[in-house]
């Protein structure tokens, strides 16, 4: 538990201090955010705000985990290493996308196909290693079974399992990316989701099937306590970043942050056997993603009509006249309700065995 605390504190301090330094460097270099011409006109005042702030979140998270391991003297686990690989790998793709935007001064960074190929390659390496990396007990970080709060009876062959992992990573990454449209919105929601994974991982560690005296409803999750260390590090890092990202934002996380954080959520869900529960925990990201799907689908089917004034959903309310801070706080409330509901379902299953 000491490692969990240390990782969170280091992650928090890392972004509180590091983001301030990053803002100074990025402003001096002129690496500012470009604003979509088809977006809300109120966003044009944000033009030039430093972006790529997700890089500080990534560095602070990895540093928090590494220092926690050094202080406590425990070796890194396979699960944590793979999770951080996924986190950093997707962050590198996002960083390249952001870099092209600011360096070439165009609103489009990487081409969609190139970005997708990068996500697939990183996800594929993660999936293959996570499926085949066994420990002494024969456990792998990811199993072949689909899960809700623990593994269900639905098992997938290896090829379909890899496809499922890639879909989860892509879905979660794009969900956070779509949500990252207002100051602090995605960061604040991410803090809640990763905070939930701290609780879930610690609980799974205390109820592990590999304890000396396991209970009747134990969890066969590999390295749960080390996963909690990673969750604590990224929660602290997001919390510190929110200090600078809250309205009016001094810096944006960019695709560097949104792709990496979304992929990390999917990785946690896969490794903690809470894949379908992520739909509840990340309910805000799901709602916003579906608002885009509905808008695009209805637009094509109806010959140009729209359900919302603009998608993603947060921009619809902007065009209705809601203040940005009002939208952010109310969406945080929705995210909090989703996270509390998810944790409640997780604990309820342990008590009554409902799933």
């Amino acid at each position: 538990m000491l490692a969990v605390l240390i990782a969170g504190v280091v992650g928090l301090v890392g972004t509180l201090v590091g983001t301030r330094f990053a803002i100074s460097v990025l402003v001096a270099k002129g690496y500012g955010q470009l604003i979509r011409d088809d977006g809300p006109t109120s966003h044009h005042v944000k033009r030039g705000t430093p972006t790529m702030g997700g890089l500080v979140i990534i560095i602070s998270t990895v540093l928090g985990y590494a220092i926690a391991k050094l202080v406590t003297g425990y070796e890194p686990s396979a699960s944590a290493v793979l999770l951080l690989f996924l986190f950093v790998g997707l962050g590198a793709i996002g960083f390249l996308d952001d870099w092209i935007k600011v360096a070439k001064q165009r609103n489009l960074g990487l081409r969609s196909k190139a970005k997708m190929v990068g996500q697939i390659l990183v996800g594929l390496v993660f999936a293959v290693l996570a499926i085949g990396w066994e420990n002494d007990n024969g456990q792998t970080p990811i199993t072949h079974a689909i899960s809700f709060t623990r593994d269900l009876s639905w098992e997938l062959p290896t090829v379909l399992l890899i496809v499922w992992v890639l879909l989860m990573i892509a879905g979660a990454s794009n969900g956070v990316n779509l949500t990252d449209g207002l100051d602090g919105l995605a960061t604040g929601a991410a803090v809640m989701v990763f905070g939930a994974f701290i609780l879930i991982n610690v609980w799974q560690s205390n109820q592990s099937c590999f304890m000396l005296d396991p209970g009747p409803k134990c969890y066969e999750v590999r390295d749960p306590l080390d996963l909690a260390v990673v969750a604590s590090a990224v929660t602290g890092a997001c919390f510190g970043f929110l200090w600078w990202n809250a309205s009016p934002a001094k810096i944006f996380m960019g695709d560097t942050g949104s792709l990496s954080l979304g992929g990390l959520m999917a990785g946690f869900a896969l490794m903690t056997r809470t894949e379908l529960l992520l739909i509840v925990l990340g309910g805000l990201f799901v709602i916003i993603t579906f608002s885009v799907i509905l808008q695009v689908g209805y637009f094509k089917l109806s010959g140009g009509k729209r359900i919302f004034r603009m998608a993603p959903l947060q921009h619809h309310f902007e065009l209705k006249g809601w203040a940005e801070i009002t939208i952010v706080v109310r969406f945080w409330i929705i995210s909090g309700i989703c996270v509390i509901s998810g944790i409640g379902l997780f604990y309820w299953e342990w008590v009554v065995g409902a799933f």
Side-chain angles (χ1 to χ4, degrees):
M1 289 302 295
L2 178 61
V4 175
L5 179 61
I6 293 173
V9 171
V10 173
L12 174 65
V13 174
T15 46
L16 278 175
V17 177
T19 306
R20 182 66 189 91
F21 174 75
I23 292 171
S24 301
V25 172
L26 292 169
V27 168
K29 296 287 186 179
Y31 294 153
Q33 176 72 38
L34 297 175
I35 304 299
R36 293 167 43 193
D37 292 330
D38 59 345
T41 56
S42 60
H43 285 205
H44 288 288
V45 298
K46 301 180 182 183
R47 186 182 300 272
T49 302
T51 187
M52 298 186 288
L55 187 61
V56 185
I57 297 177
I58 294 172
I59 293 172
S60 298
T61 299
V62 174
L63 191 63
Y65 177 80
I67 290 177
K69 294 283 100 177
L70 287 173
V71 172
T72 57
Y74 290 103
E75 293 184 0
S77 67
S79 299
V81 169
L82 287 173
L83 205 53
L84 291 174
F85 163 77
L86 178 65
F87 186 47
V88 174
L90 292 175
I93 296 168
F95 178 79
L96 183 58
D97 185 49
D98 289 332
W99 177 262
I100 292 173
K101 290 176 184 176
V102 298
K104 296 189 175 183
Q105 288 295 292
R106 71 185 194 195
N107 196 41
L108 294 176
L110 279 176
R111 303 299 179 188
S112 57
K113 288 184 179 179
K115 189 186 295 187
M116 184 179 298
V117 169
Q119 289 177 292
I120 290 174
L121 288 176
V122 173
L124 188 61
V125 174
F126 168 78
V128 170
L129 292 176
I131 293 168
W133 196 338
E134 293 187 353
N135 62 7
D136 295 338
N137 296 317
Q139 286 180 296
T140 55
I142 295 177
T143 67
H144 284 72
I146 302 295
S147 61
F148 186 80
T149 57
R150 61 178 77 235
D151 285 349
L152 303 174
S153 58
W154 313 336
E155 292 201 356
L156 299 175
T158 301
V159 174
L160 289 181
L161 176 61
I162 291 174
V163 173
W164 170 247
V165 172
L166 294 178
L167 286 174
M168 283 202 62
I169 292 171
S173 294
N174 291 323
V176 177
N177 185 256
L178 290 171
T179 305
D180 186 31
L182 301 181
D183 295 352
L185 177 57
T187 308
V191 166
M192 299 181 207
V193 175
F194 289 124
F197 277 117
I198 297 176
L199 297 176
I200 288 171
N201 285 314
V202 170
W203 181 260
Q204 289 176 332
S205 176
N206 292 336
Q207 305 294 331
S208 173
C209 290
F210 295 92
M211 297 173 62
L212 293 176
D213 186 24
K217 298 180 180 179
C218 59
Y219 295 94
E220 296 185 8
V221 174
R222 179 170 171 177
D223 311 314
L225 192 56
D226 212 30
L227 292 177
V229 177
V230 179
S232 179
V234 72
T235 301
C238 287
F239 230 135
F241 184 76
L242 186 59
W243 180 272
W244 304 103
N245 186 230
S247 183
K250 301 295 189 297
I251 189 171
F252 301 137
M253 69 166 69
D255 281 9
T256 309
S258 60
L259 292 183
S260 59
L261 291 175
L264 189 62
M265 288 179 193
F268 270 116
L270 288 159
M271 289 186 171
T272 59
R273 314 290 193 264
T274 55
E275 296 160 16
L276 299 181
L277 185 66
L278 182 61
I279 297 173
V280 182
L281 292 171
L284 176 66
F285 302 112
V286 174
I287 292 169
I288 288 176
T289 300
F290 267 97
S291 73
V292 175
I293 295 172
L294 288 172
Q295 181 85 325
V296 173
Y298 187 73
F299 184 86
K300 291 180 178 179
L301 292 174
S302 65
K305 296 181 180 179
R306 292 177 171 84
I307 299 174
F308 309 107
R309 296 188 181 184
M310 182 178 289
L313 188 60
Q314 61 269 30
H315 298 321
H316 167 77
F317 290 104
E318 277 192 287
L319 295 183
K320 287 191 67 175
W322 289 23
E324 180 174 354
I325 189 64
T326 301
I327 300 169
V328 170
V329 172
R330 288 178 178 173
F331 275 38
W332 279 352
I333 293 171
I334 294 172
S335 181
I337 292 171
C338 291
V339 168
I340 292 171
S341 299
I343 293 174
L345 286 171
F346 177 82
Y347 182 68
W348 183 46
E349 185 278 334
W350 184 85
V351 173
V352 303
F355 303 107

